[in-house]
Structure formats: structure tokens, C-alpha cells
Amino acid sequence: HDYGFHFMKFGETAVVDLENFTLEGKSKKAFRNVLNKFAKENMHFEIINPPYDASLFADLKAISDKWLEGRAERGFSMGYFDEDYLNRSPMAVVKDEAGAIIAFANLMPVYKEGWATIDLMRYDPEEAPAGTMDFMFLNLFLHFKEEGMKFFDLGMAPLANVGINEQSFLREKLAYFVFKFGSSVYSFEGLRSYKRKFTEDWEPKYTGYSHRSSLLFTVL
């Protein structure tokens, strides 16, 4: 503020407390059912490490293209398919009974001690059964918990809980209408709803921009 910056809330990040994460108890029955379902179908989770060969990238690109269904990559708050980028970090994959990859996510480097997260997530909409990404996330939580991590960052739900207060600025109230009625452009509410199944802990995220610039120009 002292340097002439304005701030606007841009959404909330879902955080999973790995130290207290468990599959025990009645409330976690759905999670256990997911793991049991994939175990019965001989599907498994695996962490692979770079460098990745051309054959693997061809498989991942095919999955990514199917997932996009002709849509352009957005890359605003999530990663996009880029071989050089993906070749810099380990990757979580889900394989079917034949050993073919049906879903993947790259493990993004995190510079906060005790934290872990992923960036790009893709699955094959034709071959991946329902619950594949739940299976991916549950295994990631268990993997990083064993690694001694304390928190898993599920990523931002853009525009979540922005402009909901009477005292909110006009630009934030406009963002609220985008969140509520912009589903044809981006599944704002759907993304938040999906992440809520794993956690109720949310951290607000803000964008800072110079008073010499406009918010619209900054976003673009």
C-alpha cells in the first residue's frame, strides 16, 4: 500500500492438513471406496521421474488433447502442456491393468517448507473411469504424508468468496457475478465444489497491482 498498490481478492486456495489426514472413520468411507474400487480393477498409482522419453510424452500429449476436447489452454491459475516444463519435475500417474497411463499430474516445486502441490492435471476422458482424479489425489496425500510433508496445496478456486460482503468494492462485486454466472467460460463453482470434498480449509489469495495500472490491464 505504501508503494501505491491496490489489492483485490482473486479467490481462495484449498489446503489439506496432511498431518491430520486419515482414511479412518465413517466420514472417510467414500475415500476408502474409491481406493478399493481401483484396487479391484488392478489400477495403480505411481511416481515417475525425469527425464521422460518421446514415447511417454506422446502418450501424455494424447491424453491432454483428449481432455482439452479442442479447447485452447488457459494457464491462468493452472499449468498447461509443455514438454520442457514437464521434464523438470517428477510426475504422478495412474495406470490401468495393462500398464497404460490414463491420468497424470506434475509435482510442482514448492518453496515453503513442509508444503507440496501439483500443477498440470489431465486424464483420458475415454479410458479413465469415474473417480480417477479422486484416486490420484488420495494417493498424493498419502504419498506426501509418508514423505513428511505437512500441507498439500490443492490450488486456487478463482473468484471464490469474492465480493460477497456488503462493504466489498464494486470490482469485487462484479467478480462475484462472474463467479456465479460465468460457468460457460470457466467452471468456477464446480472447481470449488470439487475441492471441498477433500478439505474445508481455505486461504485467501490476493492480487496486487500498481495504482498507475488498471485492474483489467493487469488481469489481461
Side-chain angles (χ1 to χ4, degrees):
H1 179 81
D2 289 345
Y3 283 93
F5 277 77
H6 297 302
F7 298 89
M8 176 178 170
K9 185 176 181 180
F10 250 72
E12 295 181 334
T13 292
V15 178
V16 176
D17 182 347
L18 296 179
E19 289 185 311
N20 293 312
F21 178 76
T22 178
L23 296 175
E24 303 297 326
K26 185 177 180 180
S27 64
K28 302 300 172 59
K29 182 180 179 180
F31 291 167
R32 295 194 299 273
N33 288 342
V34 169
L35 296 178
N36 291 335
K37 169 190 171 184
F38 279 77
K40 288 178 181 178
E41 296 180 6
N42 293 320
M43 297 186 179
H44 66 279
F45 170 88
E46 187 178 329
I47 301 290
I48 58 177
N49 294 287
Y52 308 117
D53 59 29
S55 175
L56 177 68
F57 271 125
D59 292 341
L60 300 183
K61 184 68 164 59
I63 293 172
S64 180
D65 289 345
K66 286 183 182 179
W67 186 88
L68 286 169
E69 296 180 331
R71 302 186 303 269
E73 295 272 19
R74 289 197 173 94
F76 176 67
S77 64
M78 300 294 290
Y80 53 89
F81 194 94
D82 179 87
E83 290 189 11
D84 290 336
Y85 168 57
L86 294 176
N87 224 356
R88 297 180 184 181
S89 64
M91 199 174 305
V93 297
V94 176
K95 294 183 177 181
D96 63 16
E97 187 174 14
I101 296 175
I102 58 173
F104 68 92
N106 71 308
L107 310 186
M108 190 167 67
V110 177
Y111 303 103
K112 290 194 292 184
E113 186 176 353
W115 285 72
T117 192
I118 59 173
D119 190 16
L120 180 70
M121 299 179 292
R122 297 285 151 91
Y123 64 89
D124 187 328
E126 297 174 4
E127 302 297 331
T132 296
M133 295 316 294
D134 290 0
F135 179 72
M136 170 84 80
F137 277 120
L138 292 172
N139 276 284
L140 283 166
F141 301 158
L142 296 172
H143 167 76
F144 282 117
K145 182 172 183 173
E146 290 180 3
E147 293 283 306
M149 297 296 177
K150 296 180 179 179
F151 301 100
F152 188 94
D153 183 342
L154 273 170
M156 187 169 73
L159 306 186
N161 283 331
V162 176
I164 61 175
N165 296 316
E166 184 179 348
Q167 296 84 4
S168 297
F169 293 106
L170 175 61
R171 57 183 178 269
E172 293 174 332
K173 291 181 178 179
L174 292 174
Y176 170 78
F177 282 99
V178 174
F179 177 82
K180 293 294 291 184
F181 305 109
S183 58
S184 61
V185 178
Y186 189 93
S187 183
F188 294 103
E189 285 195 287
L191 183 60
R192 179 177 172 82
S193 178
Y194 177 77
K195 293 179 179 182
R196 281 185 63 188
K197 73 168 68 177
F198 299 112
T199 183
E200 289 293 340
D201 294 333
W202 296 84
E203 292 187 350
K205 293 293 182 181
Y206 294 85
T207 291
Y209 59 99
S210 171
H211 73 278
R212 296 187 181 91
S213 177
S214 71
L215 177 63
L216 179 61
F217 179 82
T218 302
V219 171
L220 291 175

mmCIF file of all heavy atoms in Angstrom, residues 186-213:
data_model
loop_
_atom_site.group_PDB
_atom_site.id
_atom_site.type_symbol
_atom_site.label_atom_id
_atom_site.label_comp_id
_atom_site.label_asym_id
_atom_site.label_seq_id
_atom_site.Cartn_x
_atom_site.Cartn_y
_atom_site.Cartn_z
ATOM 1 N N TYR A 186 -15.812 -20.742 -17.561
ATOM 2 C CA TYR A 186 -14.938 -21.465 -16.624
ATOM 3 C C TYR A 186 -15.811 -21.987 -15.488
ATOM 4 O O TYR A 186 -16.672 -21.268 -14.988
ATOM 5 C CB TYR A 186 -13.861 -20.513 -16.086
ATOM 6 C CG TYR A 186 -12.765 -21.169 -15.290
ATOM 7 C CD1 TYR A 186 -11.595 -21.584 -15.902
ATOM 8 C CD2 TYR A 186 -12.882 -21.358 -13.919
ATOM 9 C CE1 TYR A 186 -10.565 -22.177 -15.178
ATOM 10 C CE2 TYR A 186 -11.864 -21.947 -13.179
ATOM 11 C CZ TYR A 186 -10.705 -22.344 -13.815
ATOM 12 O OH TYR A 186 -9.695 -22.927 -13.095
ATOM 13 N N SER A 187 -15.581 -23.227 -15.086
ATOM 14 C CA SER A 187 -16.417 -23.829 -14.047
ATOM 15 C C SER A 187 -15.950 -23.382 -12.660
ATOM 16 O O SER A 187 -15.357 -24.148 -11.907
ATOM 17 C CB SER A 187 -16.375 -25.358 -14.148
ATOM 18 O OG SER A 187 -17.227 -25.937 -13.192
ATOM 19 N N PHE A 188 -16.226 -22.119 -12.322
ATOM 20 C CA PHE A 188 -15.779 -21.561 -11.052
ATOM 21 C C PHE A 188 -16.368 -22.321 -9.868
ATOM 22 O O PHE A 188 -15.651 -22.789 -8.988
ATOM 23 C CB PHE A 188 -16.168 -20.083 -10.953
ATOM 24 C CG PHE A 188 -15.477 -19.200 -11.950
ATOM 25 C CD1 PHE A 188 -16.138 -18.752 -13.079
ATOM 26 C CD2 PHE A 188 -14.164 -18.810 -11.764
ATOM 27 C CE1 PHE A 188 -15.512 -17.930 -13.997
ATOM 28 C CE2 PHE A 188 -13.524 -17.983 -12.670
ATOM 29 C CZ PHE A 188 -14.203 -17.547 -13.793
ATOM 30 N N GLU A 189 -17.693 -22.429 -9.842
ATOM 31 C CA GLU A 189 -18.364 -23.074 -8.714
ATOM 32 C C GLU A 189 -18.067 -24.570 -8.681
ATOM 33 O O GLU A 189 -17.917 -25.171 -7.619
ATOM 34 C CB GLU A 189 -19.867 -22.824 -8.781
ATOM 35 C CG GLU A 189 -20.261 -21.416 -8.390
ATOM 36 C CD GLU A 189 -21.747 -21.293 -8.117
ATOM 37 O OE1 GLU A 189 -22.519 -21.316 -9.092
ATOM 38 O OE2 GLU A 189 -22.121 -21.172 -6.933
ATOM 39 N N GLY A 190 -17.988 -25.192 -9.855
ATOM 40 C CA GLY A 190 -17.704 -26.622 -9.916
ATOM 41 C C GLY A 190 -16.342 -26.960 -9.357
ATOM 42 O O GLY A 190 -16.176 -27.970 -8.649
ATOM 43 N N LEU A 191 -15.350 -26.114 -9.644
ATOM 44 C CA LEU A 191 -13.996 -26.355 -9.152
ATOM 45 C C LEU A 191 -13.943 -26.237 -7.634
ATOM 46 O O LEU A 191 -13.341 -27.082 -6.956
ATOM 47 C CB LEU A 191 -13.029 -25.351 -9.788
ATOM 48 C CG LEU A 191 -11.553 -25.504 -9.427
ATOM 49 C CD1 LEU A 191 -11.030 -26.872 -9.853
ATOM 50 C CD2 LEU A 191 -10.726 -24.396 -10.087
ATOM 51 N N ARG A 192 -14.595 -25.216 -7.089
ATOM 52 C CA ARG A 192 -14.611 -25.068 -5.636
ATOM 53 C C ARG A 192 -15.339 -26.232 -4.969
ATOM 54 O O ARG A 192 -14.888 -26.773 -3.955
ATOM 55 C CB ARG A 192 -15.259 -23.747 -5.233
ATOM 56 C CG ARG A 192 -15.327 -23.561 -3.718
ATOM 57 C CD ARG A 192 -15.897 -22.214 -3.334
ATOM 58 N NE ARG A 192 -16.126 -22.137 -1.904
ATOM 59 C CZ ARG A 192 -15.205 -21.856 -0.995
ATOM 60 N NH1 ARG A 192 -13.960 -21.636 -1.374
ATOM 61 N NH2 ARG A 192 -15.497 -21.804 0.293
ATOM 62 N N SER A 193 -16.458 -26.633 -5.553
ATOM 63 C CA SER A 193 -17.230 -27.739 -5.001
ATOM 64 C C SER A 193 -16.418 -29.028 -4.998
ATOM 65 O O SER A 193 -16.468 -29.802 -4.032
ATOM 66 C CB SER A 193 -18.520 -27.921 -5.809
ATOM 67 O OG SER A 193 -19.260 -29.019 -5.324
ATOM 68 N N TYR A 194 -15.661 -29.264 -6.062
ATOM 69 C CA TYR A 194 -14.852 -30.481 -6.131
ATOM 70 C C TYR A 194 -13.795 -30.493 -5.028
ATOM 71 O O TYR A 194 -13.593 -31.508 -4.349
ATOM 72 C CB TYR A 194 -14.170 -30.593 -7.495
ATOM 73 C CG TYR A 194 -13.269 -31.802 -7.599
ATOM 74 C CD1 TYR A 194 -13.795 -33.073 -7.784
ATOM 75 C CD2 TYR A 194 -11.886 -31.678 -7.475
ATOM 76 C CE1 TYR A 194 -12.979 -34.185 -7.844
ATOM 77 C CE2 TYR A 194 -11.061 -32.781 -7.541
ATOM 78 C CZ TYR A 194 -11.619 -34.038 -7.735
ATOM 79 O OH TYR A 194 -10.795 -35.132 -7.779
ATOM 80 N N LYS A 195 -13.124 -29.385 -4.821
ATOM 81 C CA LYS A 195 -12.048 -29.340 -3.831
ATOM 82 C C LYS A 195 -12.580 -29.437 -2.403
ATOM 83 O O LYS A 195 -11.871 -29.895 -1.501
ATOM 84 C CB LYS A 195 -11.220 -28.068 -4.023
ATOM 85 C CG LYS A 195 -10.446 -28.072 -5.338
ATOM 86 C CD LYS A 195 -9.639 -26.808 -5.556
ATOM 87 C CE LYS A 195 -8.885 -26.893 -6.874
ATOM 88 N NZ LYS A 195 -8.043 -25.715 -7.134
ATOM 89 N N ARG A 196 -13.827 -29.025 -2.201
ATOM 90 C CA ARG A 196 -14.409 -29.063 -0.855
ATOM 91 C C ARG A 196 -14.577 -30.491 -0.340
ATOM 92 O O ARG A 196 -14.694 -30.699 0.863
ATOM 93 C CB ARG A 196 -15.761 -28.358 -0.844
ATOM 94 C CG ARG A 196 -15.671 -26.833 -0.803
ATOM 95 C CD ARG A 196 -17.031 -26.215 -0.676
ATOM 96 N NE ARG A 196 -17.677 -26.596 0.578
ATOM 97 C CZ ARG A 196 -18.947 -26.316 0.862
ATOM 98 N NH1 ARG A 196 -19.694 -25.685 -0.027
ATOM 99 N NH2 ARG A 196 -19.455 -26.677 2.019
ATOM 100 N N LYS A 197 -14.602 -31.474 -1.220
ATOM 101 C CA LYS A 197 -14.763 -32.849 -0.755
ATOM 102 C C LYS A 197 -13.523 -33.321 0.008
ATOM 103 O O LYS A 197 -13.599 -34.262 0.783
ATOM 104 C CB LYS A 197 -15.044 -33.795 -1.928
ATOM 105 C CG LYS A 197 -13.880 -34.093 -2.834
ATOM 106 C CD LYS A 197 -14.166 -35.253 -3.776
ATOM 107 C CE LYS A 197 -15.214 -34.897 -4.793
ATOM 108 N NZ LYS A 197 -15.429 -36.007 -5.759
ATOM 109 N N PHE A 198 -12.378 -32.629 -0.205
ATOM 110 C CA PHE A 198 -11.138 -33.027 0.449
ATOM 111 C C PHE A 198 -10.792 -32.180 1.669
ATOM 112 O O PHE A 198 -10.044 -32.618 2.538
ATOM 113 C CB PHE A 198 -9.971 -32.963 -0.545
ATOM 114 C CG PHE A 198 -10.124 -33.866 -1.729
ATOM 115 C CD1 PHE A 198 -10.318 -33.341 -2.995
ATOM 116 C CD2 PHE A 198 -10.093 -35.246 -1.581
ATOM 117 C CE1 PHE A 198 -10.459 -34.177 -4.097
ATOM 118 C CE2 PHE A 198 -10.239 -36.086 -2.676
ATOM 119 C CZ PHE A 198 -10.428 -35.550 -3.938
ATOM 120 N N THR A 199 -11.314 -30.964 1.735
ATOM 121 C CA THR A 199 -10.933 -30.078 2.843
ATOM 122 C C THR A 199 -11.940 -28.944 3.003
ATOM 123 O O THR A 199 -12.640 -28.582 2.059
ATOM 124 C CB THR A 199 -9.539 -29.482 2.600
ATOM 125 O OG1 THR A 199 -9.150 -28.684 3.726
ATOM 126 C CG2 THR A 199 -9.509 -28.609 1.351
ATOM 127 N N GLU A 200 -11.968 -28.390 4.216
ATOM 128 C CA GLU A 200 -12.752 -27.191 4.495
ATOM 129 C C GLU A 200 -11.833 -26.025 4.864
ATOM 130 O O GLU A 200 -12.297 -24.978 5.311
ATOM 131 C CB GLU A 200 -13.750 -27.447 5.628
ATOM 132 C CG GLU A 200 -14.906 -28.368 5.239
ATOM 133 C CD GLU A 200 -15.843 -27.747 4.216
ATOM 134 O OE1 GLU A 200 -15.838 -26.508 4.082
ATOM 135 O OE2 GLU A 200 -16.561 -28.504 3.546
ATOM 136 N N ASP A 201 -10.530 -26.224 4.672
ATOM 137 C CA ASP A 201 -9.549 -25.179 4.995
ATOM 138 C C ASP A 201 -9.208 -24.403 3.729
ATOM 139 O O ASP A 201 -8.705 -24.970 2.753
ATOM 140 C CB ASP A 201 -8.272 -25.794 5.584
ATOM 141 C CG ASP A 201 -8.521 -26.439 6.938
ATOM 142 O OD1 ASP A 201 -9.456 -25.999 7.631
ATOM 143 O OD2 ASP A 201 -7.791 -27.385 7.297
ATOM 144 N N TRP A 202 -9.471 -23.092 3.771
ATOM 145 C CA TRP A 202 -9.242 -22.245 2.598
ATOM 146 C C TRP A 202 -8.411 -21.026 2.993
ATOM 147 O O TRP A 202 -8.618 -20.440 4.054
ATOM 148 C CB TRP A 202 -10.569 -21.770 2.007
ATOM 149 C CG TRP A 202 -11.412 -22.884 1.491
ATOM 150 C CD1 TRP A 202 -12.271 -23.670 2.218
ATOM 151 C CD2 TRP A 202 -11.470 -23.372 0.160
ATOM 152 N NE1 TRP A 202 -12.864 -24.605 1.412
ATOM 153 C CE2 TRP A 202 -12.400 -24.451 0.140
ATOM 154 C CE3 TRP A 202 -10.844 -22.999 -1.033
ATOM 155 C CZ2 TRP A 202 -12.695 -25.152 -1.026
ATOM 156 C CZ3 TRP A 202 -11.152 -23.697 -2.190
ATOM 157 C CH2 TRP A 202 -12.063 -24.756 -2.188
ATOM 158 N N GLU A 203 -7.464 -20.657 2.131
ATOM 159 C CA GLU A 203 -6.645 -19.464 2.360
ATOM 160 C C GLU A 203 -6.930 -18.449 1.254
ATOM 161 O O GLU A 203 -6.904 -18.794 0.068
ATOM 162 C CB GLU A 203 -5.159 -19.823 2.351
ATOM 163 C CG GLU A 203 -4.717 -20.685 3.527
ATOM 164 C CD GLU A 203 -3.208 -20.882 3.561
ATOM 165 O OE1 GLU A 203 -2.539 -20.507 2.572
ATOM 166 O OE2 GLU A 203 -2.716 -21.407 4.568
ATOM 167 N N PRO A 204 -7.212 -17.192 1.618
ATOM 168 C CA PRO A 204 -7.494 -16.181 0.595
ATOM 169 C C PRO A 204 -6.250 -15.831 -0.211
ATOM 170 O O PRO A 204 -5.131 -15.851 0.307
ATOM 171 C CB PRO A 204 -7.970 -14.978 1.416
ATOM 172 C CG PRO A 204 -7.344 -15.170 2.760
ATOM 173 C CD PRO A 204 -7.282 -16.653 2.984
ATOM 174 N N LYS A 205 -6.452 -15.527 -1.490
ATOM 175 C CA LYS A 205 -5.368 -15.114 -2.372
ATOM 176 C C LYS A 205 -5.704 -13.745 -2.961
ATOM 177 O O LYS A 205 -6.826 -13.520 -3.424
ATOM 178 C CB LYS A 205 -5.173 -16.132 -3.505
ATOM 179 C CG LYS A 205 -4.665 -17.487 -3.038
ATOM 180 C CD LYS A 205 -3.247 -17.382 -2.493
ATOM 181 C CE LYS A 205 -2.729 -18.749 -2.069
ATOM 182 N NZ LYS A 205 -1.356 -18.664 -1.523
ATOM 183 N N TYR A 206 -4.713 -12.868 -2.951
ATOM 184 C CA TYR A 206 -4.917 -11.503 -3.418
ATOM 185 C C TYR A 206 -3.969 -11.164 -4.568
ATOM 186 O O TYR A 206 -2.859 -11.683 -4.644
ATOM 187 C CB TYR A 206 -4.691 -10.500 -2.278
ATOM 188 C CG TYR A 206 -5.714 -10.604 -1.176
ATOM 189 C CD1 TYR A 206 -5.556 -11.533 -0.150
ATOM 190 C CD2 TYR A 206 -6.848 -9.801 -1.171
ATOM 191 C CE1 TYR A 206 -6.502 -11.655 0.861
ATOM 192 C CE2 TYR A 206 -7.800 -9.911 -0.162
ATOM 193 C CZ TYR A 206 -7.620 -10.837 0.843
ATOM 194 O OH TYR A 206 -8.565 -10.967 1.840
ATOM 195 N N THR A 207 -4.443 -10.288 -5.435
ATOM 196 C CA THR A 207 -3.605 -9.745 -6.495
ATOM 197 C C THR A 207 -3.302 -8.292 -6.161
ATOM 198 O O THR A 207 -4.215 -7.523 -5.828
ATOM 199 C CB THR A 207 -4.310 -9.830 -7.864
ATOM 200 O OG1 THR A 207 -4.410 -11.199 -8.238
ATOM 201 C CG2 THR A 207 -3.516 -9.087 -8.929
ATOM 202 N N GLY A 208 -2.025 -7.926 -6.232
ATOM 203 C CA GLY A 208 -1.625 -6.545 -6.031
ATOM 204 C C GLY A 208 -1.258 -5.920 -7.370
ATOM 205 O O GLY A 208 -0.595 -6.558 -8.178
ATOM 206 N N TYR A 209 -1.709 -4.695 -7.622
ATOM 207 C CA TYR A 209 -1.396 -4.036 -8.882
ATOM 208 C C TYR A 209 -1.197 -2.539 -8.640
ATOM 209 O O TYR A 209 -1.800 -1.943 -7.750
ATOM 210 C CB TYR A 209 -2.481 -4.290 -9.935
ATOM 211 C CG TYR A 209 -3.864 -3.820 -9.548
ATOM 212 C CD1 TYR A 209 -4.369 -2.611 -10.017
ATOM 213 C CD2 TYR A 209 -4.661 -4.594 -8.705
ATOM 214 C CE1 TYR A 209 -5.636 -2.176 -9.654
ATOM 215 C CE2 TYR A 209 -5.933 -4.171 -8.344
ATOM 216 C CZ TYR A 209 -6.408 -2.961 -8.817
ATOM 217 O OH TYR A 209 -7.662 -2.530 -8.456
ATOM 218 N N SER A 210 -0.334 -1.929 -9.426
ATOM 219 C CA SER A 210 0.013 -0.519 -9.251
ATOM 220 C C SER A 210 -1.187 0.383 -9.522
ATOM 221 O O SER A 210 -2.000 0.112 -10.403
ATOM 222 C CB SER A 210 1.144 -0.145 -10.213
ATOM 223 O OG SER A 210 1.352 1.256 -10.211
ATOM 224 N N HIS A 211 -1.258 1.471 -8.770
ATOM 225 C CA HIS A 211 -2.343 2.426 -8.992
ATOM 226 C C HIS A 211 -2.216 3.097 -10.352
ATOM 227 O O HIS A 211 -3.159 3.693 -10.858
ATOM 228 C CB HIS A 211 -2.361 3.489 -7.881
ATOM 229 C CG HIS A 211 -1.253 4.483 -7.973
ATOM 230 N ND1 HIS A 211 0.012 4.221 -7.491
ATOM 231 C CD2 HIS A 211 -1.207 5.737 -8.496
ATOM 232 C CE1 HIS A 211 0.787 5.279 -7.716
ATOM 233 N NE2 HIS A 211 0.081 6.210 -8.321
ATOM 234 N N ARG A 212 -1.035 2.978 -10.964
ATOM 235 C CA ARG A 212 -0.831 3.562 -12.294
ATOM 236 C C ARG A 212 -1.427 2.672 -13.396
ATOM 237 O O ARG A 212 -1.526 3.067 -14.548
ATOM 238 C CB ARG A 212 0.663 3.751 -12.590
ATOM 239 C CG ARG A 212 1.356 4.738 -11.663
ATOM 240 C CD ARG A 212 2.776 4.992 -12.128
ATOM 241 N NE ARG A 212 3.482 5.916 -11.263
ATOM 242 C CZ ARG A 212 4.213 5.537 -10.209
ATOM 243 N NH1 ARG A 212 4.343 4.248 -9.931
ATOM 244 N NH2 ARG A 212 4.823 6.432 -9.460
ATOM 245 N N SER A 213 -1.790 1.446 -13.006
ATOM 246 C CA SER A 213 -2.343 0.498 -13.966
ATOM 247 C C SER A 213 -3.805 0.224 -13.620
ATOM 248 O O SER A 213 -4.263 0.479 -12.517
ATOM 249 C CB SER A 213 -1.547 -0.811 -13.913
ATOM 250 O OG SER A 213 -2.097 -1.775 -14.781
#
